[in-house]
Amino acid sequence: MTKFASTLLDEVYDIPVSAWVYPENRLDGFSDYGVATKVLKYFIDNIGPYSYAKLANMQAKTQWGGLENAGTIAYFENSVNGKNEVEGLIAHEIAHQWFGNSASENDWNHVWLSEGFATYFAILYQESVYGNDKRKEELELDRKQIIDYYLQNPSPIVDPSITDPMKVLSINTYQKGGWVLNMLRHKLGDKVFWKGIQAYYKAYRDSNAMSADFQKIMEEISGEDLEEFFQQWLFTKGHPELKWDWSYAKKNLQINIEQLQKHHVFKFPIEIGVIKDGKTVIYQMDMENARKSLTIKLDYQPDDVILDPESWLLFEEKSN
Ligand SMILES: [Zn+2]
């Protein structure tokens, strides 16, 4: 028990949004937690109706960065300093009100349906405020963690062999789960992706789902067979480890890509950025085999060629 200073920050579609902080953190806390109103509006507008009567944001003693209790989120004590440094955390915990609290996994091994979703929806919110570069920046940080984690923990996102519930909360279920949604969005396009997300929330609001239920809804909405996509990203360990090179001669740009990991041949589209005078032109190639070459007719010698300039594919670049 403690004394709080509290304030009604605003009402968003009749949902009261409040901040509860220790009296000595009053001004900083009301300012930092103020973004909760923007976040709530973004998720209601893009996902669907909020499932609870209020949204309270509370400074608290918690062993976690944040804890997404339905309608009353607890944030760690030092989350308030008046510098707006926890906007991503606030967006993550508020996203849980949709995914994790309302539409929740039916089995703990499928917790990416909560944590991967909250991770990616926090990125989506930040992208909506700060632009596409913010999405790329966040995903690149996550990519590094995923690659490091895999070296020590070569397991898939959904791994029923992990029996310790705490170990299911990992870089795999958070950051890699988020990356899966980023790749799904790229595969389906923004319009279909959001339509699918809305349909999934509508179907499983105040209910429980498995990964297969999410897959089924995304297939219904997109009309695409997503079996391979979900199998390789959720139920197969690792990611493409790519060795590649490019060369230019006789107005042909040649790109050779090879998957080095031995346990599975991933299938994915990959974008290739051709850079000249600071401008990037993007080409796409579908990788279905362990190796592939692509020749692009090009009138000019590129200054550089890069893989995945827009951060749409989870892979590891291996040096030659
Ligand atoms: Zn979370």
Side-chain angles (χ1 to χ4, degrees):
M1 288 172 64
T2 191
K3 276 189 181 167
F4 281 106
S6 76
T7 189
L8 177 67
L9 295 164
D10 204 351
E11 291 201 359
V12 178
Y13 303 121
D14 296 334
I15 309 290
V17 184
S18 58
W20 297 73
V21 298
Y22 305 157
E24 62 271 29
N25 299 127
R26 196 171 157 272
L27 291 179
D28 285 347
F30 291 171
S31 160
D32 286 330
Y33 292 175
V35 296
T37 57
K38 277 198 296 178
V39 177
L40 180 65
K41 183 171 188 311
Y42 174 78
F43 289 144
I44 290 174
D45 288 346
N46 288 286
I47 304 169
Y50 180 71
S51 287
Y52 308 103
K54 64 166 172 64
L55 176 60
N57 298 272
M58 175 180 67
Q59 182 182 16
K61 275 195 181 296
T62 163
Q63 60 170 319
W64 310 100
L67 191 58
E68 69 271 22
N69 313 301
T72 304
I73 298 171
Y75 302 100
F76 70 104
E77 284 189 313
N78 291 328
S79 61
V80 287
N81 61 13
K83 295 178 187 163
N84 191 33
E85 286 175 352
V86 289
E87 191 170 3
L89 172 70
I90 289 172
H92 177 109
E93 303 307 336
I94 295 178
H96 271 313
Q97 307 299 313
W98 281 260
F99 304 114
N101 292 355
S102 183
S104 186
E105 66 282 349
N106 211 2
D107 179 306
W108 190 243
N109 288 106
H110 293 251
V111 75
W112 83 280
L113 292 169
S114 297
E115 296 303 349
F117 274 58
T119 300
Y120 193 59
F121 279 79
I123 293 175
L124 287 167
Y125 161 74
Q126 293 178 85
E127 177 186 343
S128 79
V129 178
Y130 301 107
N132 187 44
D133 282 350
K134 181 65 178 169
R135 175 186 66 87
K136 289 164 69 176
E137 187 187 312
E138 292 291 319
L139 287 167
E140 289 312 316
L141 292 172
D142 291 353
R143 183 202 303 272
K144 285 195 187 76
Q145 293 189 62
I146 294 163
I147 291 169
D148 288 347
Y149 183 79
Y150 179 61
L151 291 174
Q152 305 298 325
N153 306 273
S155 57
I157 292 177
V158 178
D159 184 355
S161 75
I162 302 175
T163 50
D164 178 351
M166 290 308 292
K167 291 206 169 121
V168 179
L169 298 171
S170 71
I171 300 284
N172 265 356
T173 48
Y174 282 68
Q175 283 80 357
K176 193 177 176 190
W179 254 101
V180 171
L181 291 178
N182 184 59
M183 290 188 284
L184 184 63
R185 171 187 173 193
H186 184 57
K187 185 176 175 65
L188 303 180
D190 276 13
K191 209 173 148 194
V192 175
F193 172 78
W194 280 108
K195 218 177 141 194
I197 291 296
Q198 289 155 10
Y200 169 69
Y201 178 65
K202 198 173 172 193
Y204 291 97
R205 186 178 176 188
D206 301 330
S207 180
N208 301 92
M210 298 289 274
S211 301
D213 299 316
F214 175 58
Q215 177 183 333
K216 189 158 174 272
I217 292 218
M218 297 312 275
E219 286 180 336
E220 280 165 11
I221 298 296
S222 67
E224 288 191 39
D225 180 354
L226 300 171
E227 178 64 18
E228 190 161 61
F229 177 91
F230 281 97
Q231 276 301 324
Q232 73 176 10
W233 293 117
L234 290 184
F235 301 97
T236 307
K237 67 179 179 179
H239 47 261
E241 296 166 37
L242 304 181
K243 185 177 128 177
W244 73 289
D245 59 61
W246 66 275
S247 57
Y248 182 78
K250 296 179 184 163
K251 303 209 168 188
N252 280 324
L253 171 65
Q254 164 110 8
I255 294 144
N256 306 304
I257 303 183
E258 182 183 353
Q259 301 192 45
L260 296 182
Q261 79 289 343
K262 296 288 175 231
H263 68 281
H264 184 77
V265 176
F266 285 84
K267 295 185 182 174
F268 51 86
I270 184 165
E271 289 188 342
I272 293 149
V274 177
I275 302 172
K276 181 75 177 175
D277 299 332
K279 281 190 188 149
T280 306
V281 179
I282 292 176
Y283 296 86
Q284 185 163 305
M285 127 177 189
D286 285 316
M287 197 82 187
E288 311 95 350
N289 303 311
R291 296 159 185 267
K292 188 159 176 182
S293 297
L294 176 73
T295 306
I296 300 167
K297 290 238 168 287
L298 210 60
D299 284 339
Y300 55 88
Q301 162 93 36
D303 296 331
D304 199 5
V305 177
I306 53 173
L307 292 186
D308 192 36
E310 289 300 309
S311 302
W312 289 117
L313 175 70
L314 177 60
F315 73 104
E316 181 179 0
E317 194 164 339
K318 295 283 195 181
S319 51
N320 289 306

